Amino acid sequence: MLKHTRVTDPEVYELAVEELHRQEHNIEMIASESTAPLEIMELSGSIFTNKTLEGYPGKRFQAGSGVADKLEKLAVERAKALYGAEHVNIQVYSGSTANYSVYATILEPGDRVLSMRLDQGGHLTHGSAANWLSKVYHYEFYGVDPETGGIDYEALDKKAKEFQPRLIIAGASSYPRLIDYEKIAETAKAVGAYFMVDMAHVAGLVAAGAIPSPIPHADFVTSSTTKTFCGARSGMIFCKEEHAKKLDKGVFPGCIGSMHLTTMAAKCWSFRYAQSEEFKAIMKQVLVNAKLLAEELKKRGFDLVGGTTENHLMVVDLRSKNITGKLFQNALDTVGITVNKQQIPDDPASPLVTSGVRIGVTSITQRGLGGAEIARIAEIMDRVAAAPEDETNLAACRADAEALISAFPLYPAGSFDD
Ligand SMILES: *Cc1c(COP(=O)(O)O)cnc(C)c1O
């Protein structure tokens, strides 16, 4: 691995080795993570990095762009076919840049936007006070019904009618349910708002046809290409043909400079891989594993926000276990299970402490873990929650977690022996 860096910069090389070891020996359950196939690694570090170019195929600002034109056209065709979309822009650098680009395309400073609040499951780039966008646009928020954990669609509709937003955003970072895109689209139509869906977390599940697609219902669909999509660190935006020209201008020159050809090549590979039976089977199993883990945790007295999961993640409300999100995250980290602390809706605890954790199953499903292993993970989690500061307990849990994950290699043996 990294045969040149190994010689010229052993310090960085050692950190990469350490990180590989960490990923191999831990049970990675951060809901926004997945394992990139080796081809993504190759292409993300490929020769394409040397090429600077701006603009679109046939209309570049730099010479020598013929190969890049072929690559971008191929990626665009594959992306449109995969998602059945009328138009796609794949020049954005990430899910965040994808969102900024849509705002730049359709909004003026001061415009009103209705989105899901951060602590209810939304994302920083949907107008959180901590994000710079909150200084530019006027955000109002909708949330979930405290009884069901699902979006309160009636309250959303009512708020939209009062607030008259120019844009309504759906899509979330920490929401374990399916979203009724059709319903929110109706509200958007009724108030004359644009409708944008941010499918960053679920783009892989959507591509595989494992859950319903937002593409037919939204004016714009943004996404990152990591998370369930299992691809490069990058982004993409789909839209209806009527918005295509405006969107492309909003992306470049509106928001970005030169494009990243390396991740474009990796995305191009992913758009093909996502149509394979292998990928579809993994995404189906992600749904099965998430449901299984939810059941196994509930059996052991854990509460889930909304009581269940319909996608790749769940949010555990830890109050019944008398433990904070921060303490549980840290104790699980000690035993080699990686999750993140997470605010539950209307959380009484601060964002740095929290009353919950968010757990995802994409990475472990890619590694081949199934029913028997899922039950063992839930059992270890329960033992950790019972005595999160007892070192003997944590050491025993650590040994069990390590024994469990070692049987499922992160990458095929020898992948990095060069
Ligand atoms: C992760 C995420 C993003 C940001 O994507 P990056 O690629 O990390 O910039 C945007 N929106 C949602 C809903 C996300 O979950």
Side-chain angles (χ1 to χ4, degrees):
M1 185 171 77
L2 306 179
K3 61 185 174 189
H4 302 286
T5 308
R6 183 165 61 205
V7 176
T8 56
D9 191 340
E11 268 177 297
V12 175
Y13 172 76
E14 282 307 327
L15 290 175
V17 170
E18 207 179 306
E19 177 61 12
L20 174 61
H21 188 271
R22 188 191 68 80
Q23 291 184 22
E24 276 175 338
H25 292 272
N26 281 275
I27 304 178
E28 294 296 319
M29 302 188 83
I30 304 247
S32 48
E33 289 185 353
S34 53
T35 309
L38 289 164
E39 289 86 345
I40 299 294
M41 306 268 180
E42 282 180 0
L43 291 166
S44 296
S46 63
I47 191 70
F48 288 118
T49 202
N50 292 337
K51 182 67 194 130
T52 294
L53 73 163
E54 297 161 309
Y56 291 96
K59 291 175 283 181
R60 305 287 192 192
F61 286 77
Q62 293 82 7
S65 299
V67 178
D69 282 8
K70 284 191 251 177
L71 176 66
E72 185 167 359
K73 282 186 194 158
L74 179 62
V76 161
E77 283 318 308
R78 286 182 179 178
K80 279 168 40 178
L82 177 65
Y83 284 101
E86 293 177 17
H87 182 74
V88 66
N89 187 302
I90 45 171
Q91 293 200 1
V92 284
Y93 304 147
S94 67
S96 308
T97 342
N99 290 345
Y100 301 152
S101 298
V102 171
Y103 304 148
T105 299
I106 57 173
L107 299 178
E108 295 297 328
D111 270 355
R112 290 187 291 270
V113 182
L114 180 62
S115 68
M116 193 178 207
R117 210 172 68 203
L118 187 65
D119 76 302
Q120 307 281 299
H123 189 258
L124 281 169
T125 57
H126 297 179
S128 153
N131 185 281
W132 67 282
L133 290 167
S134 65
K135 299 181 199 159
V136 182
Y137 308 115
H138 177 187
Y139 287 89
E140 277 283 334
F141 301 99
Y142 61 85
V144 299
D145 177 336
E147 292 298 311
T148 65
I151 291 172
D152 188 339
Y153 293 99
E154 251 172 60
L156 188 165
D157 188 70
K158 191 159 165 266
K159 195 152 226 180
K161 284 175 180 154
E162 286 161 13
F163 182 53
Q164 293 289 315
R166 185 155 177 78
L167 170 68
I168 298 178
I169 305 174
S173 288
S174 185
Y175 184 66
R177 307 290 291 276
L178 298 179
I179 296 173
D180 191 339
Y181 303 121
E182 217 171 330
K183 209 170 217 162
I184 305 178
E186 271 169 30
T187 295
K189 199 161 177 209
V191 301
Y194 289 106
F195 181 35
M196 176 183 119
V197 174
D198 178 347
M199 65 168 178
H201 259 268
V202 296
L205 297 168
V206 169
I211 64 169
S213 171
I215 301 271
H217 308 294
D219 296 296
F220 299 91
V221 175
T222 58
S223 188
S224 74
T225 49
T226 51
K227 308 190 181 177
T228 54
F229 193 67
C230 304
R233 293 243 144 234
S234 193
M236 56 188 171
I237 307 171
F238 300 90
C239 73
K240 299 273 187 250
E241 189 57 47
E242 60 183 293
H243 306 308
K245 270 212 171 105
K246 227 162 53 165
L247 175 70
D248 285 347
K249 269 199 207 147
V251 173
F252 177 86
C255 278
I256 67 162
S258 63
M259 52 197 261
H260 296 177
L261 262 196
T262 46
T263 49
M264 180 166 297
K267 281 182 276 189
C268 189
W269 183 88
S270 284
F271 294 137
R272 178 182 170 133
Y273 174 61
Q275 302 197 37
S276 69
E277 290 311 312
E278 177 183 295
F279 183 75
K280 288 180 187 164
I282 292 171
M283 289 296 115
K284 279 206 186 91
Q285 189 63 35
V286 163
L287 295 184
V288 171
N289 281 353
K291 274 243 156 57
L292 263 173
L293 181 62
E295 288 313 312
E296 293 292 340
L297 287 172
K298 282 199 284 186
K299 255 195 241 169
R300 292 168 174 83
F302 286 94
D303 286 336
L304 300 191
V305 172
T308 186
T309 171
E310 296 172 329
N311 55 24
H312 62 299
L313 68 83
M314 64 211 69
V315 182
V316 184
D317 178 345
L318 293 165
R319 288 174 300 178
S320 66
K321 294 279 185 185
N322 272 321
I323 178 174
T324 65
K326 183 181 173 189
L327 180 57
F328 196 43
Q329 170 192 305
N330 291 343
L332 285 175
D333 194 31
T334 307
V335 313
I337 298 178
T338 321
V339 304
N340 64 273
K341 62 178 182 275
Q342 177 73 45
Q343 283 202 295
I344 58 173
D346 305 308
D347 201 324
S350 81
L352 290 176
V353 177
T354 81
S355 304
V357 289
R358 186 184 66 160
I359 307 178
V361 300
T362 312
S363 292
I364 60 165
T365 305
Q366 287 177 284
R367 286 175 89 154
L369 279 70
E373 294 79 34
I374 299 285
R376 283 172 65 195
I377 290 173
E379 187 243 334
I380 296 172
M381 286 180 168
D382 192 26
R383 281 159 56 202
V384 170
E389 288 167 306
D390 174 339
E391 278 176 28
T392 316
N393 178 43
L394 296 187
C397 290
R398 163 93 225 168
D400 289 349
E402 167 94 44
L404 172 64
I405 200 64
S406 327
F408 298 88
L410 182 68
Y411 289 102
S415 293
F416 299 108
D417 298 349
D418 64 349

